[in-house]
């Protein structure tokens, strides 16, 4: 089974590059992902602004092969205009844009309106994706919905005939799985345990709807030549002996990556061979996509490409990077 390997980008400035502009780290990180042979980069949603929307365009502009995953909150966009923007990206970049619509609201400022509950958030996300696909796949489209109204929609001329962005969804509760079964192309969990516990149910629900949903996992990673070297670096940075959970591959699981500034709190620590074995094990259990969160981004992305991917892809049954070009205009 092929395994797509992605990495995340920064929406905030993470270090001083001296005389270089603040965007330089992001530009280097994007180029590192392409040179290292990764399949894509993730532009994470930032509550502080629309950075992910700008960042995903910058990533697509400065690469030729990698995909870029646009993470955004469904409350932040009108679905018709979100689809129009996506169509332009697809047209200009040979179909390399993917979508990661966020549904749940972690903070009150994300709750629009604030009185709505989780069921309403998922109902709105369902309607958002129905509208986006409706205008994308039809020359004419009308909808009088609960959250959106469309009259005379539908893409024609330059916006028509393009590949709809692959939809990545997240979450492990029943509402999240239902939405993903109906609309998702890839469902990204946060741990291998979630994949094993909820993945089969999701895929069963999708098959009942005549669909297929691939499984993914998003985690942090710290890899070095040897396990001792990785543990030493982790201890040196955290200033204490980290509480590591041993895994069958010899790698370890650590829930403390947030203390190193990672967005994904859980992840793998170990040698290249150990972490490669762990990722191959995930692939053997049906995972097609892993999104790796690394710090510092540029150096660790090159490290992954040079040392980890050559071990991961043969072990996971992949012979080449899963680079998809569609030949669209």
């Amino acid at each position: 089974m092929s395994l797509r390997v992605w990495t995340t980008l920064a929406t905030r400035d993470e270090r001083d590059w001296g005389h270089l502009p603040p965007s330089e780290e992001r530009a280097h990180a994007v180029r590192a992902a392409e040179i290292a042979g990764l399949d894509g980069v993730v532009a994470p949603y930032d509550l502080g602004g629309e950075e992910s929307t700008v960042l995903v365009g910058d990533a697509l502009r400065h690469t030729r092969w990698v995909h870029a995953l646009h993470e955004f909150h469904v409350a932040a966009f009108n679905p018709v205009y979100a689809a129009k923007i996506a169509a332009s990206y697809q047209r200009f970049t040979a179909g390399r844009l993917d979508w990661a619509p966020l549904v749940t609201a972690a903070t009150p400022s994300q709750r629009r309106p604030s009185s709505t509950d989780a069921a309403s958030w998922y109902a709105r996300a369902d309607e958002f994706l129905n509208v986006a696909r409706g205008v994308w796949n039809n020359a004419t489209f009308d909808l009088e919905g609960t959250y959106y109204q469309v009259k005379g929609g539908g893409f024609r001329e330059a916006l028509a005939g393009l590949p709809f962005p692959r939809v990545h969804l997240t979450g492990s509760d029943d509402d999240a799985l239902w939405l993903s079964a109906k609309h998702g192309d890839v469902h990204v969990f946060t741990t291998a345990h979630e994949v094993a516990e909820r993945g089969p149910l999701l895929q069963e629900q999708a098959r009942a709807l005549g669909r297929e949903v691939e499984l993914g996992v998003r985690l942090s990673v710290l890899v070095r030549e040897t396990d001792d070297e990785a543990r030493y670096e982790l201890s040196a940075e955290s200033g204490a002996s980290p509480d590591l959970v041993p895994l069958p591959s010899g790698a370890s699981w650590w829930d403390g990556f947030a203390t190193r500034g990672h967005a994904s709190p859980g992840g793998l620590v170990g040698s290249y061979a150990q972490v490669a074995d762990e990722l191959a094990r995930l692939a053997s259990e049906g995972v097609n996509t892993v999104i790796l969160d690394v710090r510092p981004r540029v150096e660790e992305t090159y490290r992954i490409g040079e040392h980890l991917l050559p071990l991961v892809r043969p072990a996971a049954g992949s012979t080449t990077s899963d680079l998809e070009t569609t030949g669209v205009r």
Side-chain angles (χ1 to χ4, degrees):
M1 176 176 290
S2 63
L3 184 68
R4 299 185 183 91
V5 181
W6 299 56
T7 190
T8 58
L9 301 174
T11 58
R12 306 291 178 95
D13 300 332
E14 295 181 335
R15 57 180 161 177
D16 183 5
W17 283 67
H19 65 288
L20 297 175
S23 62
E24 195 66 18
E25 181 180 7
R26 283 179 283 277
H28 278 278
V30 168
R31 285 194 287 270
E34 178 142 284
I35 292 170
L38 271 64
D39 296 283
V41 294
V42 178
Y45 176 67
D46 190 326
L47 184 59
E50 298 304 329
E51 275 79 356
S52 66
T53 305
V54 177
L55 184 57
V56 76
D58 196 40
L60 290 168
R61 168 67 180 84
H62 290 97
T63 55
R64 295 184 64 186
W65 308 110
V66 299
H67 281 233
L69 181 60
H70 180 203
E71 199 174 83
F72 61 92
H73 199 286
V74 294
F77 285 97
N78 174 302
V80 174
Y81 282 91
K84 283 186 174 180
I85 294 169
S88 295
Y89 276 137
Q90 297 296 62
R91 184 156 56 97
F92 296 150
T93 67
R96 293 187 289 122
L97 176 73
D98 288 23
W99 263 7
L102 300 181
V103 180
T104 55
T107 67
S109 62
Q110 289 175 287
R111 297 169 190 153
R112 304 174 187 177
S114 58
S115 60
T116 57
D117 54 17
S120 299
W121 303 339
Y122 280 100
R124 181 174 57 185
D126 175 37
E127 199 168 295
F128 180 100
L129 289 165
N130 280 333
V131 170
R133 289 189 188 275
V135 296
W136 193 287
N137 294 322
N138 299 281
T140 59
F141 180 78
D142 299 310
L143 178 74
E144 188 68 26
T146 302
Y147 303 92
Y148 305 104
Q149 291 76 47
V150 182
K151 186 70 174 178
F155 287 177
R156 297 175 289 275
E157 300 174 344
L159 297 178
L162 297 161
F164 192 79
R166 282 168 57 84
V167 176
H168 295 59
L169 293 168
T170 59
S172 59
D173 59 24
D174 290 343
D175 288 333
L177 298 191
W178 166 80
L179 183 69
S180 202
K182 191 173 179 183
H183 293 286
D185 296 300
V186 182
H187 192 90
V188 182
F189 293 98
T190 56
T191 67
H193 175 73
E194 278 190 349
V195 173
E197 186 177 59
R198 304 294 277 169
L201 174 60
L202 165 62
Q203 292 185 314
E204 180 181 337
Q205 291 177 338
R207 283 193 290 271
L209 297 173
R211 304 187 69 252
E212 294 288 337
V213 179
E214 296 181 359
L215 304 180
V217 64
R218 186 172 187 162
L219 45 81
S220 294
V221 68
L222 174 60
V223 284
R224 291 295 183 267
E225 185 68 35
T226 66
D227 183 54
D228 287 343
E229 187 180 350
R231 287 169 177 260
Y232 173 80
E233 177 150 339
L234 189 61
S235 299
E237 290 191 7
S238 62
S241 179
D243 186 14
L244 299 176
V245 178
L247 299 170
S249 63
S252 301
W253 180 266
W254 189 45
D255 283 321
F257 275 100
T259 63
R260 301 178 84 242
H262 292 227
S264 301
L268 300 171
V269 179
S271 70
Y272 302 129
Q274 290 169 339
V275 172
D277 286 348
E278 195 63 32
L279 296 180
R281 185 185 65 78
L282 288 172
S284 72
E285 295 179 356
V287 171
N288 300 84
T289 298
V290 292
I291 299 173
L292 301 179
D293 190 1
V294 295
R295 300 291 190 285
R297 300 177 193 273
V298 178
E299 294 88 334
E300 294 301 308
T301 297
Y302 281 119
R303 186 188 300 278
I304 288 170
E306 184 173 357
H307 299 287
L308 185 60
L309 288 190
L311 300 177
V312 168
R313 289 208 160 105
S318 303
T319 56
T320 61
S321 175
D322 185 17
L323 302 176
E324 299 174 356
T325 55
T326 62
V328 298
R329 296 162 288 170

